[in-house]
Amino acid sequence: MRIQWLGHACFLLESGGRRLLTDPFDAAVGYPLARVTVDYVTVSHLHHDHNNVKALPGRPRVIDTPGRQVLDGLEINGLQTYHDREKGAKRGPNTVFVLEWEGLRVCHLGDLGHLLSPDQVAAIGTVDVLCIPVGGFYTIDAAEAAETVATLAPAVVLPMHYKTDYTDFPIAPVEDFSKRFAQVERLPALEITAPVKDRGLRVVVLDLAAPGR
């Protein structure tokens, strides 16, 4: 599987000749729009910086609700969580997606706004790659993200939803999170194959990829 970061909470996953995009954003976010041709799109919640499906070419299959779906061997499990610490009273619901694909389990936390309950951790299960918001304000912050990493125990962590020069959201830079870990890499893309070898916890900060097609 190859994973690229297109900005904010948007990742492009490619495996087995198919492509999946997470949380496409609109122009107001500041990053170049991800107008990529994909087979599937997951949308964690219906805010403008996560649900700009209309900008994508073609007719990708959109998954934006909790529940389990199996699409040509790709299993997608959506788990309802919240965008805040008040069970959605401030910012509404948020769907965590766990993708089981080509022997790998990828978890995208969307705009998770609270620590996970034991039942939610059990429902997520084993995680190979964790896409986690780390910038705070709208989501869990760096300290809460680090605690969530410790709880879920993934092999690879891909931080997202943090401050860069592209966006003026009042969120923290990735360094507030990454400085808490000993093994931090910066890569243009993550290439990962099942089964995942035990290399210890890896935090991988991905370079912003060209939106491309």
Side-chain angles (χ1 to χ4, degrees):
M1 181 181 292
R2 177 179 173 85
I3 304 177
Q4 295 175 282
W5 181 59
L6 301 187
H8 211 43
C10 185
F11 293 90
L12 175 64
L13 288 71
E14 301 179 80
S15 187
R18 290 171 294 162
R19 309 173 93 195
L20 180 145
L21 193 73
T22 68
D23 284 13
F25 48 81
D26 68 8
V29 176
Y31 294 100
L33 287 181
R35 292 193 175 99
V36 293
T37 300
V38 297
D39 301 289
Y40 317 108
V41 185
T42 59
V43 174
S44 64
H45 62 292
L46 300 180
H47 290 172
H48 72 95
D49 53 334
H50 293 261
N51 75 335
N52 191 25
V53 175
K54 64 180 181 294
L56 303 178
R59 293 186 175 181
R61 178 72 175 269
V62 179
I63 301 94
D64 58 5
T65 56
R68 177 178 178 270
Q69 299 187 50
V70 179
L71 307 170
D72 303 319
L74 165 61
E75 182 173 328
I76 302 178
N77 287 287
L79 172 68
Q80 181 176 312
T81 57
Y82 299 102
H83 201 327
D84 54 62
R85 297 174 181 82
E86 300 173 23
K87 295 188 175 181
K90 291 178 64 178
R91 297 191 176 95
N94 174 73
T95 303
V96 167
F97 286 106
V98 179
L99 316 175
E100 297 191 41
W101 196 3
E102 302 284 334
L104 292 167
R105 301 188 87 248
V106 180
C107 178
H108 188 283
L109 292 178
D111 267 10
L112 181 67
H114 58 90
L115 294 175
L116 295 166
S117 70
D119 286 345
Q120 290 168 336
V121 171
I124 289 171
T126 302
V127 177
D128 294 313
V129 180
L130 179 65
C131 304
I132 184 168
V134 302
F137 193 84
Y138 302 109
T139 69
I140 54 175
D141 60 21
E144 292 166 321
E147 184 174 345
T148 301
V149 168
T151 299
L152 292 176
V156 180
V157 175
L158 302 179
M160 64 181 186
H161 211 281
Y162 53 81
K163 177 72 175 175
T164 71
D165 291 339
Y166 285 91
T167 181
D168 60 1
F169 286 138
I171 52 183
V174 69
E175 290 80 11
D176 285 14
F177 171 76
S178 62
K179 69 184 181 183
R180 300 167 186 269
F181 299 89
Q183 190 172 348
V184 180
E185 307 166 57
R186 184 173 285 277
L187 298 173
L190 176 68
E191 305 269 358
I192 188 167
T193 304
V196 178
K197 296 179 180 179
D198 185 6
R199 295 175 49 184
L201 173 64
R202 299 168 61 200
V203 173
V204 178
V205 179
L206 292 178
D207 296 334
L208 181 66
R213 290 189 180 277

